[in-house]
Amino acid sequence: EAGVAQSPRYKIIEKRQSVAFWCNPISGHATLYWYQQILGQGPKLLIQFQNNGVVDDSQLPKDRFSAERLKGVDSTLKIQPAKLEDSAVYLCASSLGPGEDTGELFFGEGSRLTVL
Amino acid sequence: GEDVEQSLFLSVREGDSSVINCTYTDSSSTYLYWYKQEPGAGLQLLTYIFSNMDMKQDQRLTVLLNKKDKHLSLRIADTQTGDSAIYFCAEISTDSWGKLQFGAGTQVVVTP
């Protein structure tokens, strides 16, 4: 079974530029998450989708970050304009969704963003 | 501050046992997890424990949960060099299903 796919793996941009990350979850997984992992910290949830609807985006900096999940499958996360403090690894994860027994999240390898 | 706290670093000799500790604050935690992250890779679920259990064993891994003290530990028996990684403790509650709250991670270094 294919895992969670993310691209690009690495991106270097200058501050005030924009960047977009793409995620393809595991087939059949209804729930998709974007986490931000700053160096030396644990991942922090940015946004959670259930199919193509937003469940939780309370920690998403909406003045610069946006995310969508068209058709309830793939998702993109955009940052515009980027700030230095946005340098982090952006992890996409998916899960079966509510009612799934263990709540296990399956993570992609992440997209590492460096803002200069 | 963090709702889930872990020590940041652990050094262990190959063949010895490792014990990684974690404390959490959410009394409504339903599941508690241990994830492993190797360099340049995503997080991989190692094991989990339901909050009504106090112990779970899975091959070399033993999870102990003290719900009264909100303390979770992961013991790795016969630690190998391949166990070198960052280990994250995480918790979830039924009123925020899917919203994993992670600790900052414990870096485990296994020396020959």
Side-chain angles (χ1 to χ4, degrees):
Chain A
E1 178 183 84
V4 176
Q6 291 188 245
S7 68
R9 288 294 312 277
Y10 305 94
K11 189 75 176 178
I12 300 173
I13 61 173
E14 295 187 346
K15 60 183 179 184
R16 291 187 290 273
Q17 289 187 320
S18 63
V19 63
F21 302 113
W22 172 83
C23 172
N24 179 241
I26 292 174
S27 177
H29 280 193
T31 310
L32 185 147
Y33 314 79
W34 284 101
Y35 279 82
Q36 180 193 57
Q37 186 178 19
I38 293 172
L39 186 65
Q41 299 181 18
K44 182 186 82 171
L45 180 69
L46 291 176
I47 189 166
Q48 176 184 351
F49 292 95
Q50 179 69 24
N51 296 310
N52 60 351
V54 175
V55 173
D56 185 344
D57 63 356
S58 57
Q59 297 191 84
L60 187 74
K62 297 180 186 65
D63 58 333
R64 298 182 299 106
F65 286 64
S66 65
E68 60 182 9
R69 191 184 183 196
L70 299 176
K71 301 180 182 178
V73 181
D74 293 4
S75 177
T76 55
L77 175 71
K78 297 179 182 176
I79 307 173
Q80 182 179 17
K83 291 186 174 181
L84 296 177
E85 59 260 37
D86 298 332
S87 293
V89 176
Y90 291 86
L91 295 165
C92 180
S94 68
S95 68
L96 286 168
E100 190 269 326
D101 289 339
T102 66
E104 179 179 358
L105 270 60
F106 296 81
F107 284 85
E109 293 182 321
S111 295
R112 181 179 296 274
L113 173 66
T114 302
V115 182
L116 304 175
Chain B
E2 291 281 344
D3 294 328
V4 179
E5 293 192 356
Q6 304 176 235
S7 53
L8 294 181
F9 185 80
L10 175 68
S11 179
V12 62
R13 285 191 174 223
E14 190 175 12
D16 288 350
S17 291
S18 312
V19 179
I20 309 167
N21 294 300
C22 167
T23 57
Y24 60 97
T25 57
D26 188 350
S27 58
S28 65
S29 294
T30 306
Y31 281 101
L32 296 121
Y33 306 85
W34 285 103
Y35 278 82
K36 177 182 180 182
Q37 186 177 37
E38 297 183 71
L43 279 73
Q44 173 193 3
L45 180 67
L46 275 182
T47 186
Y48 65 92
I49 189 166
F50 190 52
S51 59
N52 68 353
M53 300 167 64
D54 53 17
M55 187 182 95
K56 180 179 180 181
Q57 188 148 7
D58 184 1
Q59 299 182 336
R60 293 190 297 122
L61 306 177
T62 303
V63 180
L64 295 177
L65 175 61
N66 182 326
K67 198 172 179 183
K68 173 175 169 290
D69 295 337
K70 299 190 181 68
H71 182 266
L72 182 73
S73 68
L74 174 69
R75 179 177 180 269
I76 305 173
D78 186 25
T79 310
Q80 304 297 308
T81 55
D83 295 324
S84 292
I86 301 176
Y87 292 80
F88 291 94
C89 171
E91 60 90 16
I92 201 168
S93 59
T94 49
D95 59 354
S96 57
W97 193 251
K99 188 174 179 179
L100 278 177
Q101 185 70 43
F102 284 90
T106 300
Q107 178 157 15
V108 174
V109 174
V110 182
T111 57

